[in-house]
Amino acid sequence: MSTTQSDRLRGLVEPLVRAKDLDLEEIEVSRAGRRGLLRIVVDSDEGVELDACAELSRAISEKLDETDAMGEGEYVLEVSSPGADRPLTEHRHYVRATGRLVRLQLADEGELVARILAVDEDGLDLEVPGVKGRRPTARRIGFADISKARVEIEFNRKDKKEEEA
């Protein structure tokens, strides 16, 4: 996708996404045979409901029909939320993952699995689970020390609504 097309699509889509109180995470254009594929990924602090994706998809489709941003050929439009395995790359991703277990690839020290307790502008306050009956320990990691991060899927984790009840 050319930068011009990417910029144009972002300019068309971003106001529609913001109007739904969502964040535009990704725009991807690719080819699937003769058809184009426009994949738009959105998120919010509360997550994204399926109905919100459907409403946004209709609004984006109408807007794209008014323009030639996708060219003359056929295309498929997909609007979705990020998958559970999405890398944490933005400050807001870490904030949204507060309370979750994450796998961090550290620049100098290898890998660390820990729960995010708090996030500020400089880094993370973590709880590192204890091993073999030991107590968890607190640890501070700066964003500059993280080369990769991803939420770990926990099948037995209570969600925030259950914990508040």
Side-chain angles (χ1 to χ4, degrees):
M1 172 171 65
S2 72
T3 302
T4 306
Q5 184 185 26
S6 175
D7 292 343
R8 186 166 183 204
L9 285 168
R10 185 169 288 279
L12 290 171
V13 169
E14 203 155 30
L16 300 172
V17 172
R18 277 197 311 263
K20 301 281 184 195
D21 292 324
L22 300 171
D23 295 319
L24 179 60
E25 294 291 341
E26 182 180 343
I27 294 179
E28 178 186 334
V29 177
S30 60
R31 294 244 60 50
R34 294 187 323 215
R35 289 184 175 168
L37 173 63
L38 174 58
R39 182 173 291 128
I40 297 172
V41 179
V42 296
D43 201 4
S44 79
D45 290 342
E46 294 79 35
V48 182
E49 299 283 329
L50 185 59
D51 289 343
C53 284
E55 288 175 24
L56 183 58
S57 180
R58 285 189 290 275
I60 291 171
S61 181
E62 288 175 14
K63 187 62 141 180
L64 291 175
D65 287 347
E66 296 171 3
T67 71
D68 65 346
M70 287 300 295
E72 296 297 318
E74 294 179 13
Y75 67 91
V76 175
L77 172 63
E78 290 181 7
V79 177
S80 66
S81 61
D85 63 343
R86 168 206 46 203
L88 305 176
T89 57
E90 302 284 335
H91 184 268
R92 69 177 177 265
H93 298 164
Y94 290 97
V95 171
R96 289 176 184 156
T98 299
R100 306 284 307 268
L101 198 63
V102 293
R103 182 174 300 275
L104 304 167
Q105 185 66 46
L106 303 177
D108 297 334
E109 300 177 44
E111 197 170 78
L112 173 67
V113 176
R115 188 166 311 278
I116 298 177
L117 299 177
V119 180
D120 60 30
E121 295 304 315
D122 299 319
L124 310 171
D125 291 326
L126 303 169
E127 178 184 75
V128 180
V131 180
K132 296 183 181 179
R134 292 189 178 138
R135 292 187 170 280
T137 56
R139 182 152 180 203
R140 173 82 181 165
I141 299 286
F143 287 119
D145 297 324
I146 301 171
S147 56
K148 290 182 186 176
R150 196 176 295 273
V151 171
E152 285 285 285
I153 305 301
E154 295 179 85
F155 293 105
N156 59 353
R157 178 182 174 263
K158 292 181 182 178
D159 67 14
K160 290 178 185 176
K161 292 176 185 171
E162 287 179 41
E163 289 174 359
E164 292 170 359

